[in-house]
Amino acid sequence: LGDKNLKLKELGLKWNRIDSFGGNAIAESLCTNTELKMFDISWNKIGKPNTMKKILVGDIGKAWGNMMANNRTLIHMDMGHN
């Protein structure tokens, strides 16, 4: 998602069991994405702390907050039921 050559405009990743570790990686890559307009990552497990990989709830929010502060192209994002 952070690749400058990626021309993806919409991405749906709902119901994929993405955990907090995967969610943080997605959030970090979206910081530099300049093409994506619509993103649906609803119905995953992003908001649940991942004890296996030692990611805490505060770290989850920080990654998504940085993404929202830095991404200037995303128009709609659905993160419901996480």
Side-chain angles (χ1 to χ4, degrees):
L1 292 174
D3 185 345
K4 302 245 185 248
N5 295 319
L6 186 65
K7 302 297 181 195
L8 201 62
K9 301 287 183 200
E10 295 184 25
L11 179 60
L13 294 175
K14 60 185 173 184
W15 291 100
N16 277 290
R17 297 182 181 170
I18 297 169
D19 64 7
S20 55
F21 187 75
N24 274 15
I26 290 169
E28 289 170 6
S29 67
L30 285 175
C31 282
T32 58
N33 182 286
T34 59
E35 298 291 331
L36 196 64
K37 307 284 186 225
M38 308 284 277
F39 182 51
D40 185 350
I41 194 163
S42 60
W43 294 96
N44 282 286
K45 298 179 178 183
I46 293 170
K48 295 172 179 55
N50 188 325
T51 55
M52 297 287 290
K53 296 184 177 98
K54 306 289 186 221
I55 291 183
L56 306 173
V57 173
D59 295 331
I60 298 165
K62 191 183 308 179
W64 287 99
N66 286 340
M67 184 281 296
M68 289 179 202
N70 291 308
N71 184 297
R72 301 287 182 226
T73 58
L74 197 59
I75 296 169
H76 175 81
M77 180 170 66
D78 186 349
M79 291 184 76
H81 301 281
N82 274 292

